[in-house]
Amino acid sequence: MARIAVIGAGMGAMAAAARLAVAGHRVAVYERTDTYGGAVRRFERDGFAFDTGPGLLTLPAVYRDLFVKTGKEPLEDVVELVQVDPAARHVFADGTRVSLPNASRAGVVAALDEALGAGAGQRWGDFLVRAREAWDRTRRPLLEEPLWPDWQVLAAREPYPAVPHKRLLRTRRAGTPAEIGSWELRDERLAALLESHVLGYGLDPRTAPASAAVLPYMEHAFGTWYVRGGIRELARAVYERCLRRRVEFSFGAEVTGILEKDGRAAGVELADGSVAEADHVVADVDPARLRALTEHPLDADGDVRADDPVLPRPGRLTALLALRGGRESGAVHRTVVHAPDAETELDFLASPGGDRPVCPTVTVLRPDDPALRPDEAHESVVVSAVVSAEAAWEDEGTVRSYTDFLLEAAERAVPGLRERLLWHEVRTPVHTEEETGARFGAVPAPALAAGRGRYLYPANTTRLPGLYRVGGWSHPGGGLPHAGMSGALVAGLIVEGPEFRGSQ
């Protein structure tokens, strides 16, 4: 039985801790804040409750596997999963609206044809077929296996297929989601639909690789799910699974250093001066903080790093709205209100030092969940947008301008919003940094193939034997399912050793 010290109690860290405990190891988690879950948190006030991190779940199979492998218990026995239908309503810049069914290709094709004109649905359906090909080519190396030593193969090869042009007797390979939209979808609204999935993860569709097509495909193929009571309930269930497997948690316990002995990680040092010895250390922290915890070089020259992202670091701005009055008939769980000027939005995201903020693409979540409201005569709503984490979030004017944009967009999804508004709370990337420790409150995106390796993350192993990386800032990147997979990969590497090749 080995002693495992885990730094941080994020979703990836807890997924690794539960699996390692089941394998017979003694696991202790050290979390610098007062609760678990990382960015998966809840805000409560006056009988209202809100998810402050992710509001929906894709790829629930990752957490189904976690609960079966750590207790032979279905995920549905510990949380109530609800498939969101429609998956989303989109409000485009020209006022066009379309509601897309959840995990139904035929339904989506029909809805797009009706809203956007004949042929639009078929073009989107054909795109999803190509996106599936990219998914099939990258699923194992990007989700289910440790990062390949020859990761340059993933960096150089674009898995999204080229499209044949019968008239020209040649093929054309799109290099970015924006080119897919322009060359293949050939409708500004279809292009906006694709780009909103990419932008939702903080990626610029003009520069991200075409392999980002897997992001809308994941949602289409595996559905969009809500956890009754909020996604925080999923974090609670994982935490309680850890407790049942005798994982020890210490909250308010900031790790200030990683101990080394005989050339390997040997435990952690805490802010109070105490030391916890361990045979292995698992760190769920961003790269800068991890480097500050040890003087040992963690990567060799040429290894994948996430230190210098292609774009300024993306974050999220969120407004939590307490409304009087219940949900109207026909209200949908998620509405995406597209930016009036997508190009300007992306320019500002890439260069946050502009004169004034611009209206972003806004996501409005309206869960029909009694657990989140004081009674049927009220409603809790979460409104969010991807923003640059490096903008001037300490400036009240910046926050006020963006909040006005969020409320203005939300009014297109929630009738009579301003008249119904009792109060609101605004959460900026500053709050995210306080809760997760990530610099600037940045939120990591999932790993992607191609793009010369700039969208890959550091391997779960490091050059310091016994030290492992887990969570969104390591392979396979950010997002709830990816965090869960990172936990499975780290557990496999510790239990089975370097020969571990991933889940079967």
Side-chain angles (χ1 to χ4, degrees):
M1 178 178 70
R3 299 165 299 173
I4 314 289
V6 180
I7 306 172
M11 297 298 284
M14 292 196 296
R19 291 176 182 271
L20 288 166
V22 165
H25 299 298
R26 181 179 176 182
V27 185
V29 177
Y30 301 92
E31 166 59 44
R32 66 181 185 84
T33 69
D34 61 358
T35 190
Y36 54 85
V40 184
R41 301 209 178 196
R42 173 181 288 152
F43 178 86
E44 297 180 354
R45 173 180 162 188
D46 300 339
F48 293 89
F50 310 85
D51 279 323
T52 61
L56 295 170
L57 174 66
T58 55
L59 282 178
V62 172
Y63 288 92
R64 291 190 178 112
D65 181 73
L66 172 65
F67 279 85
V68 169
K69 296 288 178 58
T70 60
K72 299 181 180 179
E73 184 177 20
L75 174 62
E76 285 80 357
D77 281 2
V78 294
V79 296
E80 182 181 353
L81 280 179
V82 181
Q83 198 165 20
V84 176
D85 202 14
R89 174 178 293 163
H90 288 263
V91 180
F92 296 106
D94 67 354
T96 304
R97 294 172 177 249
V98 60
S99 294
L100 301 180
N102 199 340
S104 169
R105 184 179 186 276
V108 168
V109 167
L112 290 173
D113 277 343
E114 181 178 355
L116 308 186
Q122 185 62 49
R123 291 196 298 278
W124 183 258
D126 291 344
F127 156 71
L128 289 175
V129 171
R130 294 188 289 274
R132 176 178 180 174
E133 188 171 334
W135 167 261
D136 289 342
R137 290 173 176 174
T138 61
R139 175 180 57 86
R140 279 199 62 82
L142 285 185
L143 279 180
E144 300 175 1
E145 299 177 345
L147 187 67
W148 293 348
D150 59 341
W151 57 266
Q152 291 87 349
V153 175
L154 291 172
R157 182 182 301 165
E158 173 56 71
Y160 185 80
V163 178
H165 286 255
K166 294 181 180 179
R167 294 183 187 178
L168 302 178
L169 299 178
R170 64 180 178 84
T171 60
R172 170 184 271 177
R173 183 181 296 278
T176 67
E179 290 180 347
I180 294 174
S182 176
W183 299 351
E184 301 173 19
L185 298 178
R186 304 191 305 280
D187 184 296
E188 289 185 358
R189 296 160 298 183
L190 284 181
L193 175 59
L194 166 59
E195 292 179 6
S196 68
H197 284 87
V198 179
L199 179 60
Y201 287 96
L203 300 170
D204 188 335
R206 303 171 303 182
T207 56
S211 63
V214 301
L215 301 175
Y217 176 76
M218 279 195 310
E219 185 173 307
H220 164 77
F222 306 106
T224 303
W225 301 80
Y226 174 69
V227 178
R228 187 71 67 185
I231 294 294
R232 175 66 177 178
E233 286 298 294
L234 178 63
R236 175 198 56 78
V238 176
Y239 170 66
E240 292 181 353
R241 173 52 50 89
C242 287
L243 293 180
R244 290 176 60 182
R245 295 297 165 258
R246 301 185 184 278
V247 175
E248 300 175 1
F249 284 81
S250 297
F251 295 105
E254 182 173 5
V255 173
T256 56
I258 295 171
L259 303 178
E260 298 180 34
K261 183 178 180 180
D262 298 329
R264 61 175 292 117
V268 296
E269 182 177 358
L270 303 174
D272 64 4
S274 62
V275 167
E277 295 182 349
D279 301 295
H280 302 275
V281 176
V282 177
D284 188 354
V285 297
D286 82 341
R289 185 173 172 221
L290 182 58
R291 288 196 306 272
L293 295 179
T294 176
E295 296 180 356
H296 195 288
L298 300 180
D299 300 283
D301 290 341
D303 282 353
V304 173
R305 294 185 177 89
D307 302 349
D308 301 307
V310 179
L311 293 177
R313 298 165 183 82
R316 277 183 173 75
L317 180 72
T318 303
L320 314 176
L321 312 182
L323 305 184
R324 63 171 64 88
R327 296 168 90 249
E328 76 278 6
S329 175
V332 300
H333 191 120
R334 175 173 59 164
T335 301
V336 179
V337 182
H338 293 257
D341 187 335
E343 197 73 15
T344 301
E345 175 190 22
L346 295 175
D347 286 343
F348 192 83
L349 183 64
S351 302
D355 293 336
R356 63 182 183 85
V358 297
C359 186
T361 296
V362 173
T363 298
V364 182
L365 297 181
R366 305 179 64 189
D368 186 10
D369 189 343
L372 305 184
R373 58 189 182 235
D375 52 49
E376 293 296 320
H378 294 86
E379 182 182 6
S380 66
V381 175
V382 177
V383 186
S384 64
V386 171
V387 295
S388 171
E390 296 177 83
W393 294 115
E394 301 289 357
D395 177 64
E396 292 184 3
T398 299
V399 175
R400 190 182 310 112
S401 295
Y402 264 111
T403 301
D404 288 342
F405 284 139
L406 294 186
L407 294 177
E408 179 183 342
E411 283 189 298
R412 303 183 70 185
V414 184
L417 174 74
R418 291 188 186 268
E419 291 75 20
R420 296 176 57 194
L421 186 61
L422 291 171
W423 51 263
H424 69 277
E425 291 277 345
V426 178
R427 297 175 58 83
T428 73
V430 173
H431 295 90
T432 306
E433 181 172 14
E434 292 172 352
E435 294 175 352
T436 68
R439 284 185 302 170
F440 304 104
V443 178
L448 297 173
R452 292 181 289 179
R454 294 175 296 179
Y455 297 85
L456 298 174
Y457 287 82
N460 305 109
T461 54
T462 71
R463 291 187 69 196
L464 178 60
L467 175 62
Y468 301 83
R469 288 177 280 224
V470 76
W473 295 104
S474 64
H475 179 72
L480 277 173
H482 297 72
M485 285 304 304
S486 75
L489 293 173
V490 167
L493 287 165
I494 292 176
V495 172
E496 298 185 25
E499 66 276 8
F500 175 69
R501 292 294 177 266
S503 56
Q504 301 299 320

